[in-house]
Amino acid sequence: EVQLVESGGGLVQPGRSLRLSCAASGFTFDDYAMHWVRQAPGKGLEWVSGISWNSGSIGYADSVKGRFTISRDNAKNSLYLQMNSLRAEDTALYYCAKGGSNDYGGHNWFDPWGQGTLVTVSS
Amino acid sequence: SYVLTQPPSVSVAPGQTARITCGGNNIGSKSVHWYQQKPGQAPVLVVYDDSDRPSGIPERFSGSNSGNTATLTISRVEAGDEADYYCQVWDSSSDHYVFGTGTKVTVL
């Protein structure tokens, strides 16, 4: 069974940093791109970032570009999101999701998703 | 940036058919994927590549895509289908993934 388990969320002050992790199991991790998708409280889904199987191709939403960094460790079956210069508008539930192919871009879908980790940015 | 527009809500009686639209400029030229999200749960893929169903998704869920509108159709609606539904595409002009605004399906 494919499992994605996020961790690392919490309450953080504006301007500070946080690192999210996603532990993957049940599939060949380095065969697939991985993504972060977030959902602000009571709002819709927003793609945040994606990374190809070998980290050779990476993309970010305009809202986080220059502040967030996605990475992966295929030896540890893990995905990460380093979030710097956090803002109140970054408050959301952050989901880790498996991509539909090995490339982060293209006609791909997200399946499955983890249960998410909550990030709250507030003073 | 590419915009996907969905109706905020759709109401349907049990046993009837729900149709959820996703509008976007020439969306028919893109592959559209659909997700179901029940309260307090993570999204679940219900249709991919316009009309394919992942294993475990009932045949009652189907999709189509043409012109400027993609549609998710839920036949013989059940109480358990009550959820938020989102469409999603890849926008090659911006190299970004885009989600629709979401539709809340209420079973009367």
Side-chain angles (χ1 to χ4, degrees):
Chain A
E1 178 194 5
V2 175
Q3 269 203 315
L4 299 170
V5 180
E6 303 93 337
S7 60
L11 173 63
V12 61
Q13 294 178 328
R16 303 298 290 266
S17 300
L18 208 58
R19 189 194 196 207
L20 305 184
S21 299
C22 171
S25 61
F27 66 101
T28 304
F29 185 69
D30 56 10
D31 273 354
Y32 292 93
M34 296 295 295
H35 300 266
W36 290 99
V37 179
R38 69 184 180 184
Q39 186 170 35
K43 302 297 185 182
L45 302 171
E46 180 188 19
W47 174 77
V48 173
S49 181
I51 185 169
S52 64
W53 68 281
N54 63 353
S55 304
S57 182
I58 286 174
Y60 297 97
D62 293 343
S63 57
V64 306
K65 197 167 188 177
R67 299 187 299 122
F68 289 11
T69 302
I70 191 171
S71 62
R72 64 189 294 162
D73 186 336
N74 288 343
K76 294 183 178 179
N77 287 353
S78 293
L79 175 72
Y80 307 101
L81 186 67
Q82 177 67 41
M83 304 186 295
N84 298 333
S85 304
L86 283 161
R87 306 167 179 166
E89 53 265 36
D90 295 319
T91 294
L93 187 60
Y94 284 73
Y95 293 103
C96 164
K98 173 177 161 285
S101 75
N102 60 9
D103 191 14
Y104 105 88
H107 303 296
N108 285 314
W109 54 86
F110 308 119
D111 180 52
W113 301 51
Q115 285 304 305
T117 187
L118 182 63
V119 173
T120 303
V121 184
S122 174
S123 55
Chain B
S1 60
Y2 194 76
V3 176
L4 294 174
T5 303
Q6 299 181 232
S9 62
V10 167
S11 298
V12 59
Q16 298 304 302
T17 298
R19 293 179 179 85
I20 304 161
T21 58
C22 176
N25 185 35
N26 197 27
I27 195 173
S29 66
K30 302 179 182 299
S31 290
V32 180
H33 319 298
W34 291 91
Y35 303 88
Q36 175 194 69
Q37 185 179 32
K38 296 181 179 180
Q41 297 185 19
V44 172
L45 180 71
V46 292
V47 166
Y48 66 97
D49 281 351
D50 296 341
S51 59
D52 290 335
R53 274 186 316 277
S55 60
I57 301 300
E59 292 183 8
R60 300 185 299 104
F61 289 83
S62 62
S64 62
N65 183 21
S66 179
N68 292 319
T69 304
T71 303
L72 175 69
T73 301
I74 311 173
S75 304
R76 302 180 299 283
V77 166
E78 303 174 356
D81 298 330
E82 196 162 271
D84 293 326
Y85 291 82
Y86 296 90
C87 55
Q88 172 249 312
V89 300
W90 165 254
D91 177 26
S92 57
S93 64
S94 64
D95 278 357
H96 287 2
Y97 287 95
V98 179
F99 285 96
T101 49
T103 298
K104 181 176 183 60
V105 170
T106 300
V107 181
L108 301 171

